[in-house]
Amino acid sequence: MNEMIEKAVSHYRELLLSQIARAEGMEKKTLPEKKEKTVIGVIGGDGIGPLITAQAQRALETLLKDEIAAGSIEIRNIQGLTIENRMEKGKAVPDDVLEEIKACDVLLKGPTTTPSGGTMESANVTLRRELDLFANVRPVSVPEEGIDWMFFRENTEGEYALGSKGIEIPGLLTMDFKVTTIAGTKRIARAAFEYAKNNGKTHVAIVTKSNIMKKTDGMFSQLCHEMAREYPGITAEEYYIDIMTANLINPAIRKKFQVFLMPNLYGDIITDEAAQLQGGVGTAGSANQGDRYAMFEAIHGSAPRMIEEGLGDYANPESILRAAVMLLRHIALPEKAEKLEKALEKAASLCPVTGTREGHTCRQLGDTLLSLL
């Protein structure tokens, strides 16, 4: 037993030192120089990923044909981020694929499969860490219900930072770790409050479980409230994650919410809940943003069951197309983003994709969309 304890303590020490180094590195980061050409990397992913991502790529190539011809934008396909290649290489993101990804500026990424069990972490978790994509930003809108929400989820810390590096005492117990840094919390808080200020929002909901997680969530709460004092005119209120999951489905209170600010795990949970109110996770796009890179993706998974049942062609590409709208806004093309968004809304009503053979195919929605651009 003593030998196992010493091994666990040594493992924890290595993790602690690595996280201290990461936190110190965040304090020293400098902003990248502006580039003359924007490179958009397109990653198909697994399962239904290549099918839905192809429709988003077609839309981008249509909307950006002038910029592509002028050389100010390049769309580059990145191969190799598949479950087969990752399992063969034994890495969540193989080194050669990561090198290709880092040569891009923004990414449009289809869903990737994460193996159950074992030690291989999610490709998304790896990319968020390697590219330092600290802000997961997800909009949810249901105008008829008075819902216009923007979620800011810290993307590189919390339970996910060391999720595949916990400690096990065989036959007795296992322990995972949650990480919250001062620099990491400040930058996600700043992003949320800056968005609120720049978009006329007056309410930020800070979501934690600081009554239980007193060190990690306690510090997150404290730093967010300190940040709020720099933004007069914006009300910041804290809610515990359990009651917030109830508030989102309570018509009497949910209309008051505008901007949400939260650690990693809680954001993962309630953004899926919020997307369900909008029409399902298949209707929601997601942005992962950092100081140098940004990645835009569907919020759902690779749907292996649809592939197994021969329904891949009937997968709904709406989520990845909404991510493409966010990508266009990120690269400062708001008019093209609005054009795609409006065309998508019309195409979805003309050509509903239900995920079954009774609905239209992914390709048919893509064809309808292109006819409207």
Side-chain angles (χ1 to χ4, degrees), residues 24-44:
E24 291 175 342
M26 279 191 280
E27 299 282 5
K28 300 174 183 176
K29 281 192 178 292
T30 56
L31 293 177
E33 296 181 3
K34 186 175 177 61
K35 298 173 68 175
E36 292 185 4
K37 181 171 76 171
T38 298
V39 179
I40 302 171
V42 178
I43 302 170

Side-chain angles (χ1 to χ4, degrees), residues 346-362:
K346 187 172 182 180
S349 65
L350 292 172
C351 190
V353 179
T354 63
T356 68
R357 290 183 174 86
E358 286 68 41
H360 292 82
T361 66
C362 179

Side-chain angles (χ1 to χ4, degrees), residues 66-128:
D66 292 339
E67 289 80 1
I68 292 171
S72 60
I73 288 178
E74 177 187 348
I75 296 179
R76 187 179 297 174
N77 284 287
I78 298 174
Q79 308 297 328
L81 200 66
T82 62
I83 185 60
E84 294 82 8
N85 190 44
R86 288 181 284 136
M87 293 294 287
E88 181 184 340
K89 301 286 180 61
K91 300 197 76 171
V93 181
D95 293 340
D96 57 335
V97 179
L98 183 60
E99 186 178 348
E100 286 187 69
I101 287 171
K102 287 186 173 180
C104 301
D105 301 296
V106 294
L107 302 168
L108 183 70
K109 178 186 166 295
T112 45
T113 299
T114 302
S116 299
T119 59
M120 182 180 290
E121 72 179 356
S122 156
N124 272 4
V125 171
T126 300
L127 287 173
R128 289 164 186 168

Side-chain angles (χ1 to χ4, degrees), residues 166-187:
I167 289 171
E168 179 181 4
I169 305 297
L172 190 61
L173 61 85
T174 58
M175 292 181 66
D176 283 319
F177 302 103
K178 178 171 180 171
V179 180
T180 301
T181 67
I182 292 175
T185 302
K186 284 184 175 180
R187 65 184 184 178

